[in-house]
Amino acid sequence: MKLQVALDLVDLRKAVNLARELCSVGAEMIEAGTPLIKLYGMASVSAIKSACPKAEVVADIKTADVGVLEARLAREFGADWGTVLGMTNLETIVEFIKEGKAVGLKTAVDLIGSRDPEGRAQEILKAARPDLFIVHLGVDVQTRTGMRFEDLLEIALKIKNMGVGVAVAGGITERELELIIKRGAQVDVVVVGRSIVNDTSPASKFVMMNNILKHI
């Protein structure tokens, strides 16, 4: 399992400094978050990659159309991973995945907003196979509903059983990491944002959470 740190920030300098700090303590995956890319463009992805060249950098572009172009751009600007929305049209998802394979970009389908993530994953897999599905509990949904992380994890494990990689995302703290370990849940990636980024010592918090995940 890998811990992916989501830099959902609107300050590029802070994001770059954080990436550099996290890199120094062994971060394996760093995400250029959607707000960062919307504000600063794809150049923000290059900046994160330059700050931490040894980590896999995720461009969380959440592509909804022109899948070929956006997958190509993500790779050209230094991303190792790119994301496409699972709720967009199937043609875009297929083209994004296909182009990703052609240019060496790993692809992740974000199932945020899906009322039936398992069913949507099955539908997508009939047409194309991404490297990862992200089972994602969005910030607004966390605020307005009582959906539990346990429910999210159960969905992720069902998708994992389809023979594809899975990630979980959305308000994850130490509690959720402990639950993953306790359940023996073999998810591939755990995405953590605010719990690390907003901490007074992000690097120390990353090390602590990564140690939980790695059983150290």
Side-chain angles (χ1 to χ4, degrees):
M1 281 186 282
K2 291 183 178 180
L3 182 60
Q4 175 180 319
V5 183
L7 303 181
D8 287 321
L9 300 169
V10 291
D11 183 330
L12 182 57
R13 181 176 296 179
K14 181 178 179 181
V16 168
N17 288 338
L18 260 176
R20 193 173 290 119
E21 186 181 349
L22 291 166
C23 196
S24 71
V25 291
E28 297 176 281
M29 297 182 75
I30 299 179
E31 174 190 319
T34 310
L36 192 69
I37 294 173
K38 284 187 174 182
L39 188 57
Y40 295 100
M42 294 299 291
S44 62
V45 177
S46 300
I48 297 300
K49 187 65 176 180
S50 295
C52 191
K54 62 187 179 184
E56 291 185 284
V57 171
V58 182
D60 191 17
I61 47 181
K62 292 187 173 74
T63 292
D65 196 12
V66 290
V68 170
L69 175 61
E70 296 207 358
R72 188 182 304 148
L73 285 173
R75 188 61 180 147
E76 285 178 0
F77 279 86
D80 301 285
W81 288 82
T83 64
V84 59
L85 283 173
M87 294 307 293
T88 193
N89 58 81
L90 191 59
E91 291 83 358
T92 296
I93 297 170
V94 170
E95 290 302 309
F96 188 90
I97 294 169
K98 182 180 176 182
E99 185 64 14
K101 292 183 189 304
V103 300
L105 179 79
K106 296 177 185 177
T107 54
V109 177
D110 193 334
L111 295 168
I112 190 170
S114 175
R115 294 188 179 277
D116 180 16
E118 186 182 354
R120 183 58 172 164
Q122 287 177 328
E123 183 181 7
I124 292 167
L125 285 171
K126 289 176 183 177
R129 183 167 290 270
D131 295 285
L132 199 72
F133 280 102
I134 306 168
V135 184
H136 191 167
L137 187 60
V139 173
D140 294 336
V141 175
Q142 292 175 46
T143 303
R144 296 181 63 94
T145 75
M147 186 174 182
R148 304 179 308 151
F149 178 77
E150 288 86 339
D151 302 324
L152 197 76
L153 189 57
E154 193 65 36
I155 293 166
L157 294 178
K158 288 179 180 178
I159 295 173
K160 174 75 173 176
N161 286 336
M162 297 176 193
V164 66
V166 292
V168 288
I172 292 174
T173 67
E174 299 94 316
R175 174 196 173 272
E176 285 74 29
L177 293 183
E178 296 282 7
L179 182 63
I180 290 169
I181 298 305
K182 184 178 179 181
R183 294 273 305 271
Q186 292 301 308
V187 297
D188 298 278
V189 177
V190 178
V191 183
V192 178
R194 289 166 291 168
S195 187
I196 290 174
V197 172
N198 294 343
D199 194 81
T200 54
S201 178
S204 297
K205 188 64 172 288
F206 166 80
V207 170
M208 186 263 285
M209 295 185 81
N210 197 44
N211 285 347
I212 293 172
L213 203 61
K214 309 286 192 192
H215 304 271
I216 296 173

